[in-house]
Amino acid sequence: MQSWRTWHRPLVLFAASMIVMSLVGAVGILVDGRVLAGAPIWAKPFKFAVSFVAYALALAWMLTLLTRGRRVGWWAGTVVALACAGEMVIITGQVIRGKRSHFNHGTALDSTLYDAMAATVVVLWAGTLVIALLLLRARIADRASAWAVRSGVLIALVGAGFGFLMARPSAGQRAAGGLDTADVVGAHAVGVPDGGPSMPLTGWSTTGGDLRVPHFVGMHALQALPLFVVALILLAPRAARLRDPRVRLRLVLVTSGAYAAVVALVAWQALRGLPLVHPDGPTLAAAGLIVTATAAGVLAALRPASPASSASAPDKELVS
C-alpha cells in the first residue's frame, strides 16, 4: 500500500481536523450538561467527526487507486472534503447556539442553515458517486481488492442515501399537518418521536425504527470491505487456502453480498418502525437466512482448487 503522503491531501487534512473536532466533542459531552432532543448536545458533532475521519481517510486512500480520470477524482475528493467541512461547521455552530441542526425550521436562520446543510449532503453524495464511477473503471491488479473497493463505495452510497429519507416529514408530522409552519420537519426515528429512549453512544431509538442504523452500517462499508481484504492477505501466510487469489476474490464477493443484505435488512426493520434491539419474527428469520447463505457461500469459496488450476494462478498482493 502506498505511503499515506500520496493520499488525497484535502481529504487527509479534513480527517486531521475531524480528529481534533472529535476531541472537542468528547470534552463538550463531559463538561457541557445541555441536552437536546434527548441526547447530550455535543453528541452529534462528536459522532459526525469520528465518522468523517474514517470516511475521509478511506476515500483519500481509494483515490490513489485510480488509473484513469485522476484529475477528476482529485476535484471530486476536494468537493467531498469541502462539503463535509461545511456540514460540520453548521452542526457545530448550531450546538454553540443551543439549537438542533437537523430538521430545524424554527426560525428563518435555522431554516436557512438546515437547507445549506442539506445542500452539502447532496454535494457529498454526488462527489462520492463520481469517485465510485472512476473506481469502477480503474484497473486494480488484485481482483479481490478491486471488488472490495468497488463494493464498499457502492454500498456506502446506498447508506448515505438513507439520509434523504430522514429529511422527509415523518408520518406523525404529516398527520399533524401545518408542515409549512412547523418548527421541525424530518426525523431519524420511524413510528416514534425523536428524542425518546435510545441506545448508549449511538443514540439509536430503542422504541421505534431508526434510519440512522442503515445509514451508519451502509456508509462504513467503505472501510469494512477493504479492511477485510487486508485481513485476508495478512492471514495468507498462515492459511494456505487464502494464498489463492481466486479464493480471496470469492470470499470478498460473498462478504460484499452479505454486507449488502445486512444493510437491506436493517433498513427494512427501521422502515417498519422496529428498533434494532427488538427485532420481530420476520426480521430474525431474514437474519437467519442471511447467516445461512453467507456460511454456505464461505464454504463454497474455500473449496480447494484443482492442482492444475492452482499451479496456473499467480498469487497477487493488495494493489499499491
Side-chain angles (χ1 to χ4, degrees):
M1 186 180 292
Q2 292 182 357
S3 166
W4 66 269
R5 292 181 178 84
T6 66
W7 295 10
H8 187 272
R9 184 66 60 83
L11 281 168
V12 170
L13 292 175
F14 171 70
S17 71
M18 288 302 97
I19 292 174
V20 175
M21 190 62 227
S22 65
L23 296 175
V24 172
V27 172
I29 292 172
L30 294 174
V31 304
D32 191 338
R34 289 179 298 167
V35 174
L36 185 64
I41 198 167
W42 283 95
K44 186 178 291 291
F46 171 76
K47 290 187 291 185
F48 268 72
V50 172
S51 182
F52 274 146
V53 169
Y55 192 80
L57 289 179
L59 281 183
W61 165 68
M62 287 181 180
L63 284 168
T64 67
L65 306 179
L66 296 183
T67 53
R68 306 180 197 175
R70 285 181 175 271
R71 186 172 182 81
V72 174
W74 188 91
W75 279 109
T78 302
V79 166
V80 168
L82 291 173
C84 293
E87 185 174 4
M88 279 302 300
V89 167
I90 295 172
I91 290 172
T92 306
Q94 287 293 74
V95 166
I96 293 171
R97 296 179 64 229
K99 305 286 187 178
R100 61 186 298 164
S101 53
H102 287 70
F103 322 128
N104 189 354
H105 296 278
T107 66
L109 176 59
D110 291 328
S111 185
T112 299
L113 289 172
Y114 174 61
D115 290 342
M117 187 171 61
T120 66
V121 173
V122 174
V123 172
L124 186 161
W125 192 89
T128 305
L129 175 61
V130 171
I131 295 171
L133 294 175
L134 292 173
L135 286 168
L136 288 174
R137 300 177 63 225
R139 295 178 179 176
I140 301 175
D142 181 60
R143 294 179 66 199
S145 303
W147 279 105
V149 168
R150 292 163 182 166
S151 299
V153 74
L154 290 174
I155 295 172
L157 279 170
V158 174
F162 286 107
F164 298 118
L165 292 181
M166 299 181 208
R168 299 170 55 189
S170 67
Q173 291 166 351
R174 290 195 299 268
L179 294 177
D180 292 338
T181 58
D183 290 345
V184 176
V185 178
H188 300 123
V190 178
V192 296
D194 279 352
S198 61
M199 296 171 59
L201 187 60
T202 63
W204 298 338
S205 176
T206 56
T207 57
D210 201 312
L211 290 169
R212 289 173 294 186
V213 179
H215 182 63
F216 175 87
V217 176
M219 286 190 67
H220 289 290
L222 196 69
Q223 300 88 41
L225 293 177
L227 286 174
F228 177 68
V229 174
V230 172
L232 292 180
I233 291 174
L234 292 176
L235 290 171
R238 297 182 179 88
R241 198 70 56 80
L242 296 181
R243 296 171 196 162
D244 186 340
R246 293 164 302 173
V247 170
R248 296 200 299 267
L249 173 61
R250 291 195 294 262
L251 286 173
V252 165
L253 294 176
V254 170
T255 303
S256 298
Y259 201 108
V262 169
V263 173
L265 175 63
V266 294
W268 180 54
Q269 182 180 6
L271 289 169
R272 289 185 297 130
L274 297 173
L276 179 68
V277 293
H278 298 299
D280 63 353
T283 303
L284 292 174
L289 286 175
I290 292 173
V291 170
T292 302
T294 302
V298 169
L299 290 175
L302 290 172
R303 69 182 184 275
S306 63
S309 60
S310 295
S312 63
D315 188 18
K316 298 177 181 177
E317 295 300 326
L318 185 64
V319 68
S320 296

